[in-house]
Amino acid sequence: MRRARCGNPSERSQRGAARALTSPAVPYVYAFDHKHRRPPMDMKDLLGGKGANLAEMTSVLGLPVPPGFTITTDACRAYMYGGWPDSLDEEIAKHVFRLEKKMGRKLGDPFDPLLVSVRSGAKFSMPGMMDTVLNLGLNDLSVKGIAHVTDDERFAYDSYRRFIAMYGRIVLGVDGAAFEEPFEKAKHNAGVSSDAELPASALRALCEEYKVVVRAATGKPFPQKPRDQLRGAVEAVFRSWNGARAIAYRVRERINHDLGTAVNVQAMVFGNRDDNSGTGVGFTRNAATGENKPYGDFLVNAQGEDVVAGIRNTDDLDHMKLHFPVIHQDLMDIFRRLETHYRDMCDTEFTIEQGKLYMLQTRVGKRTGAAALRMAVDMTKDKHIRLTRTEAVMRVAAEHLDQVLHPQFAAKNLKVIAKGLAASPGAAVGKVYFTADDAADAADRGEKVVLVRNETSPEDVHGMMVSEGILTARGGLVSHAAVVARGWGTPAVVGADSVKIDGKQFTANGVTVKEGDVISLDGTTGEVVLGAVTLSAAEPPAEFNIVLAWADQIRKGHLAVRANADNGPDSINARQFGAEGIGLCRTEHMFLGDDRLPVVRRMILADTPAAEEAALEELRKVQKADFIEILEAMDGLPVTVRLLDPPLHEFLPRVEELEIKKATTGLTPAEVKLLAAAESWAEFNPMLGTRGVRLGVVKPGLYAMQVRALMEAAAERVANGGKPIVEIMIPLTVTREELALARSWVEGAIAEATKGMKKKPKVSIGTMIETPRAAIRADEIAEEADFFSFGTNDLTQMTFGFSRDDVESRMMPAYLEQGLLKRNPFETIDQSGVGELVRMGAARGRHTKPDLKLGVCGEHGGDPESIGLFYDAGLDYVSCSPFRVPIARLAAAQAVIGAGHADTK
Ligand code: ADP
Ligand code: MG
Ligand code: MG
């Protein structure tokens, strides 16, 4: 059903044609040890992340990696557009043959069979992709071969029953419970409690039962031919690309739906052979704190997912060293080489088979914000890595800063009901839900939720996504819950083993918490508290300011960062975050206070010029006081003040409310007047109605009053030795004539206010560019403007014809899921539409006035991807909310460095 999206017919035939021309030269399958012309890591688009890294470890680093091959994302795309590609069977067969030769074993061999794993691997690691299938190649005959060569019948049938269940569930779509039941029964019959105690005979019988389960569920026997097993698994990986969970994840992470996934087929190694075997995951540094000390989890005599699944409690690497001192040393050497090669922290999966170490996976590892900052700074001093400051700045992402700016518990000595591992920093408060679906429903209702589960799996991602915090009873720091939460900066506590979940409630140390009860958790300390704890602002680590200072050096003179702030405290805060001025001071916010609103209403209701003037005079006084505070906080830095923008009815009560009151209790004389005013100012489409400069045209006294208040405030600052820099901004201009008129009022008011003043404050006059017409006629408008500020919120609304408040909740999710839009254009600027208008407006404005100052004050000013576009368009500054200023400083530096070479999603 989803396939149709992946290309219109003409696109499809073009790709088809390209493929036909190049097909002999561009294979669908690459062996890990293929002699690549380019380093494998440059072929991530084709090989996927996992495949590229496996090839890199094999062919570049010469590390001990079990041999195998990668089926490319090209093959997946071909499959999505036109079904299983013709040449693919043959190519796979050729590579299987090579692999068999290399291993000296054959798939399905009844004496000494080769077994493989089939592993999905897209360019970006993604939940929702098919789970790995291990032990592929086992069948009724080859299981005997395994029993023979390992001289361990129990091991052979244990592997076979795992394989049938895994393949049945993952590839054939059989309900996992259908395998659980016979398994529990077998344990019961044998009188044992753990799977390790089941004898070979019971496991052999279980294999027979499992095959019956598969036949009953699918109507076909369990595939016995390894070639069929392989093809089935590969196809299932391809199909999983368009599974619902994968699509949801791509929407959230803004990953292109057309990338496709690669498939890796790899010879099996067995960490579960005996006590001289084992499996583990390891990080070359601590991914939570950034400390330069390898960190990992290890299990003796275990296979694959056992470590991450949180089934048994794991040991750390120091513990592994006791049992495997030589291998531990080998592993540490490999870690060093990986770091030197990738010049970054890597995470790895490894397996020991009978005393021999194999590397099964590596990649540049995910990390917390604090760790990212610490590693970036540390690695500039590391003699193996020698990171430059520019590189260090590129290593830190917006999400990382976001994380260290996360709140923490304000109070100490709280009554902690449970403690688990501190898996992802930051504190969260929310209502408890026990399933991903319930969490998602509650979030839809607008509740803040904390998801509580024994452990999470990719099935839970949609619930994790909407949660303020995540709590699990089982699992370690590399469990699914921990890894996903860290990636998103969602606070998480995992492995809180005192938490006992029972249906829709849990108990922990004697306290019972039911669904819907509020808990608080701190992912920095691992503490869980009953009720809502007050949160305090976060305290970023020392490296935070170091990295931002480097970022500031890089962007200095290229792209400034200002804040949007409307009052003194916000302005002080913004300056502390590093804002270099105010890009947008919304004067209407000053009108909404309890003490101000009645005055504004009096102004609107005034019947006589004298009454109107009296109200304006009162407003002028309070506005002046506000401006003084703001100018003081931003002394020496530019402050852009926007004159009143919203439609006047926003300051009046709603017509319906008054109508209801009129019909029930009746109206006071004042309310009768208010109703008349509300009715007369009501508009069909207020956002496109009498607002912005249009308001100034119908109520000229208003703008003059605002300018007077501002100039008096500036004058007072000058008198007190301050250095105010004032920029007066006219909203919603669409023509030169309109701006010329508004400019004349403003200049008149300035002249009046500064009459006789010796040291006059610095003032410039400019306009918002927030309608398509203004962007297109920016050349004319620039004649009357000293500066432009792109109001990209309105510009996006008007360019798309999307009313933000109406489309964002109802329509946008459907558009994103179906790929009709790649991004929510209100979050990240629409590069080719709205972005084009920004580029045009900037270029045309500067054509008229080369020194025209340009900025942006829409929400996009704090969005890293959009900042790249603003820099390219030649803007002088971006402006965003105070809290996002550090992120904008970093993103601005990255834009200057040329984030263009970041990986395309
Ligand atoms: P994921 O992306 O979920 O980590 P992987 O493909 O890495 O999926 O595999 C899941 C588990 O199976 C990992 O622990 C991995 O190390 C293990 N595994 C994968 N391939 C093999 C193999 N050829 N031999 C032994 N273990 C394997
Ligand atoms: Mg997986
Ligand atoms: Mg893995």
Side-chain angles (χ1 to χ4, degrees):
M1 172 191 78
R2 301 241 175 230
R3 270 185 216 169
R5 182 201 25 256
C6 299
N8 55 40
S10 71
E11 201 179 326
R12 211 178 302 155
S13 62
Q14 264 172 18
R15 285 176 205 247
R19 171 95 200 143
L21 284 175
T22 54
S23 120
V26 184
Y28 278 136
V29 185
Y30 290 85
F32 297 164
D33 62 354
H34 177 264
K35 294 280 169 287
H36 303 279
R37 258 171 289 154
R38 293 184 285 156
M41 285 311 288
D42 285 359
M43 299 171 66
K44 258 172 78 178
D45 286 336
L46 206 56
L47 301 176
K50 196 176 281 169
N53 279 304
L54 284 165
E56 189 89 2
M57 284 199 291
T58 306
S59 63
V60 180
L61 290 166
L63 298 183
V65 176
F69 54 85
T70 301
I71 302 165
T72 63
T73 56
D74 255 357
C76 177
R77 279 191 296 269
Y79 175 81
M80 290 193 292
Y81 303 131
W84 190 263
D86 293 338
S87 59
L88 191 52
D89 278 328
E90 202 183 312
E91 275 191 62
I92 292 177
K94 199 179 82 193
H95 279 271
V96 167
F97 182 72
R98 269 196 62 195
L99 184 61
E100 289 177 335
K101 249 177 67 187
K102 186 164 223 153
M103 301 300 294
R105 290 186 184 137
K106 277 176 163 346
L107 273 182
D109 189 289
F111 301 106
D112 184 9
L114 168 69
L115 302 185
V116 295
S117 64
V118 176
R119 320 168 66 186
S120 63
K123 181 176 180 187
F124 303 99
S125 103
M126 282 183 14
M129 299 302 298
M130 192 189 86
D131 286 343
T132 294
V133 175
L134 301 176
N135 302 338
L136 188 140
L138 278 173
N139 58 23
D140 293 351
L141 288 178
S142 64
V143 68
K144 298 202 170 87
I146 292 285
H148 171 73
V149 283
T150 60
D151 193 21
D152 189 344
E153 201 185 11
R154 198 196 164 277
F155 170 74
Y157 283 96
D158 191 42
S159 301
Y160 193 26
R161 66 103 190 156
R162 284 175 195 256
F163 172 58
I164 300 172
M166 210 185 261
Y167 194 94
R169 183 175 56 80
I170 296 171
V171 178
L172 303 174
V174 181
D175 182 3
F179 300 108
E180 281 295 313
E181 227 170 276
F183 187 58
E184 291 305 320
K185 220 162 59 210
K187 282 199 291 190
H188 180 81
N189 291 344
V192 301
S193 60
S194 103
D195 52 336
E197 297 165 89
L198 274 179
S201 58
L203 291 165
R204 194 186 314 129
L206 211 47
C207 290
E208 292 307 312
E209 272 190 79
Y210 277 9
K211 283 188 284 179
V212 174
V213 166
V214 168
R215 186 190 274 275
T218 65
K220 288 189 204 122
F222 185 77
Q224 287 289 319
K225 284 198 193 124
R227 299 279 144 110
D228 294 344
Q229 294 174 352
L230 184 56
R231 165 148 180 179
V234 172
E235 195 168 350
V237 174
F238 287 165
R239 275 199 311 265
S240 70
W241 177 257
N242 278 334
R245 276 188 290 128
I247 289 173
Y249 182 81
R250 291 200 293 272
V251 168
R252 184 190 197 283
E253 293 291 306
R254 305 160 155 194
I255 295 172
N256 194 319
H257 292 305
D258 296 339
L259 294 182
T261 180
V263 188
N264 303 289
V265 178
Q266 185 176 32
M268 283 299 300
V269 287
F270 297 97
N272 55 340
R273 272 296 285 278
D274 50 29
D275 284 347
N276 195 21
S277 307
T279 187
V281 299
F283 291 78
T284 58
R285 300 185 186 214
N286 189 310
T289 64
E291 188 192 358
N292 188 3
K293 179 172 189 275
Y295 174 85
D297 289 341
F298 181 76
L299 276 178
V300 178
N301 199 353
Q303 187 177 37
E305 303 277 56
D306 296 355
V307 176
V308 259
I311 292 168
R312 264 193 266 158
N313 280 336
T314 53
D315 295 324
D316 61 19
L317 292 182
D318 289 338
H319 203 263
M320 168 193 161
K321 188 176 174 180
L322 298 177
H323 292 269
F324 298 94
V326 179
I327 290 184
H328 180 269
Q329 189 50 52
D330 287 350
L331 190 65
M332 293 304 111
D333 291 346
I334 287 173
F335 280 7
R336 183 76 260 169
R337 289 181 59 198
L338 286 173
E339 275 214 347
T340 308
H341 181 68
Y342 287 94
R343 301 180 66 236
D344 205 344
M345 184 267 279
C346 295
D347 76 20
T348 64
E349 291 176 6
F350 61 91
T351 283
I352 301 169
E353 182 183 84
Q354 300 193 305
K356 180 159 172 26
L357 174 66
Y358 294 94
M359 300 306 293
L360 289 173
Q361 184 175 327
T362 194
R363 67 188 156 192
V364 167
K366 296 220 165 81
R367 61 205 68 186
T368 63
L373 286 161
R374 177 161 176 188
M375 287 179 197
V377 173
D378 281 358
M379 286 180 190
T380 60
K381 300 173 213 151
D382 188 309
K383 66 178 191 303
H384 297 285
I385 296 176
R386 293 181 190 283
L387 214 60
T388 64
R389 287 179 176 188
T390 302
E391 286 173 318
V393 165
M394 294 301 290
R395 286 284 167 88
V396 179
E399 294 78 33
H400 292 138
L401 295 189
D402 231 356
Q403 263 180 50
V404 297
L405 294 165
H406 262 312
Q408 315 286 320
F409 282 176
K412 302 278 169 239
N413 302 324
L414 294 159
K415 193 177 169 295
V416 173
I417 58 167
K419 201 161 169 23
L421 300 170
S424 178
V429 179
K431 291 188 179 171
V432 168
Y433 286 93
F434 293 93
T435 68
D437 285 342
D438 289 348
D441 289 346
D444 279 346
R445 294 192 297 268
E447 295 179 24
K448 295 203 178 307
V449 307
V450 170
L451 180 66
V452 181
R453 294 194 56 75
N454 278 324
E455 58 215 340
T456 65
S457 76
E459 248 89 346
D460 298 316
V461 165
H462 63 291
M464 301 168 76
M465 216 140 111
V466 297
S467 297
E468 301 294 313
I470 296 165
L471 168 64
T472 68
R474 293 205 284 266
L477 286 176
V478 290
S479 65
H480 180 263
V483 172
V484 171
R486 273 202 298 275
W488 292 344
T490 304
V493 175
V494 304
D497 50 18
S498 59
V499 169
K500 307 280 181 243
I501 301 177
D502 181 10
K504 296 206 163 188
Q505 64 175 48
F506 76 82
T507 52
N509 299 314
V511 179
T512 299
V513 179
K514 295 201 174 65
E515 184 188 70
D517 291 353
V518 173
I519 62 168
S520 307
L521 58 85
D522 186 341
T524 320
T525 61
E527 292 173 337
V528 182
V529 175
L530 187 62
V533 173
T534 316
L535 306 183
S536 72
E539 258 186 62
E543 291 86 359
F544 177 83
N545 286 322
I546 300 178
V547 170
L548 282 177
W550 292 346
D552 290 346
Q553 279 167 13
I554 291 166
R555 68 182 177 83
K556 197 169 167 198
H558 297 285
L559 191 58
V561 175
R562 299 193 192 178
N564 300 345
D566 325 310
N567 57 50
D570 281 0
S571 306
I572 292 170
N573 199 12
R575 195 162 189 168
Q576 270 162 2
F577 276 124
E580 296 158 311
I582 287 181
L584 178 62
C585 171
R586 298 177 173 93
T587 50
E588 57 269 20
H589 287 185
M590 303 169 173
F591 282 4
L592 289 170
D594 289 345
D595 51 335
R596 319 257 166 112
L597 200 53
V599 191
V600 177
R601 287 185 179 165
R602 236 180 293 141
M603 186 263 303
I604 298 172
L605 296 178
D607 318 312
T608 63
E612 183 176 302
E613 210 160 297
L616 283 173
E617 182 57 20
E618 235 181 291
L619 282 175
R620 184 183 60 78
K621 282 191 200 128
V622 289
Q623 282 231 297
K624 179 177 164 187
D626 289 334
F627 287 138
I628 288 175
E629 274 187 48
I630 294 168
L631 290 174
E632 185 173 358
M634 285 288 163
D635 196 50
L637 296 173
V639 173
T640 306
V641 174
R642 180 177 69 185
L643 302 182
L644 198 67
D645 180 43
L648 281 187
H649 76 84
E650 283 196 10
F651 303 103
L652 294 168
R654 286 162 51 108
V655 172
E656 299 88 76
E657 253 166 54
L658 290 171
E659 291 286 6
I660 292 170
K661 188 143 187 250
K662 186 176 166 189
T664 52
T665 58
L667 297 178
T668 63
E671 283 169 340
V672 171
K673 277 180 88 182
L674 273 177
L675 175 57
E679 273 168 346
S680 90
W681 281 102
E683 291 180 315
F684 288 108
N685 204 340
M687 293 319 282
L688 301 176
T690 313
R691 53 174 283 225
V693 65
R694 301 161 201 173
L695 201 58
V697 174
V698 295
K699 281 220 172 250
L702 192 62
Y703 277 9
M705 174 279 287
Q706 290 197 297
V707 174
R708 253 186 80 193
L710 180 56
M711 293 319 298
E712 285 171 13
E716 200 167 311
R717 287 293 310 143
V718 173
N720 289 327
K723 266 207 228 94
I725 305 174
V726 177
E727 301 177 339
I728 297 174
M729 182 154 78
I730 313 292
L732 216 71
T733 312
V734 290
T735 71
R736 167 181 46 200
E737 289 70 21
E738 209 178 19
L739 185 59
L741 176 62
R743 187 175 185 114
S744 71
W745 309 321
V746 172
E747 283 175 342
I750 293 174
E752 185 122 329
T754 58
K755 218 185 292 167
M757 216 181 268
K758 275 202 217 80
K759 257 170 77 190
K760 298 191 176 173
K762 264 182 95 167
V763 194
S764 53
I765 303 167
T767 182
M768 304 267 298
I769 299 291
E770 52 187 334
T771 66
R773 188 182 197 283
I776 293 167
R777 280 284 66 94
D779 50 348
E780 294 172 3
I781 293 175
E783 289 173 19
E784 300 293 336
D786 305 326
F787 65 87
F788 283 171
S789 177
F790 288 91
T792 49
N793 295 345
D794 266 312
L795 193 56
T796 300
Q797 295 207 91
M798 296 197 203
T799 303
F800 277 90
F802 284 167
S803 157
R804 174 178 190 157
D805 296 336
D806 297 314
V807 303
E808 264 204 317
S809 59
R810 195 167 308 153
M811 188 203 85
M812 197 60 71
Y815 266 58
L816 295 173
E817 269 160 36
Q818 295 175 48
L820 301 177
L821 286 172
K822 289 247 152 78
R823 301 269 196 283
N824 175 350
F826 292 104
E827 277 171 16
T828 294
I829 195 151
D830 159 48
Q831 296 268 343
S832 54
V834 181
E836 191 58 25
L837 284 171
V838 171
R839 280 188 282 261
M840 180 190 292
R844 293 190 174 180
R846 284 247 170 89
H847 185 75
T848 301
K849 230 178 228 176
D851 60 347
L852 187 73
K853 196 184 227 184
L854 301 174
V856 59
C857 61
E859 226 115 298
H860 302 96
D863 172 64
E865 260 184 77
S866 310
I867 289 172
L869 180 137
F870 298 138
Y871 175 66
D872 290 338
L875 270 49
D876 299 302
Y877 69 88
V878 296
S879 188
C880 58
S881 70
F883 204 61
R884 286 200 71 83
V885 165
I887 290 167
R889 285 160 67 196
L890 178 78
Q894 292 176 341
V896 172
I897 294 165
H901 46 68
D903 260 345
T904 38
K905 281 189 176 174

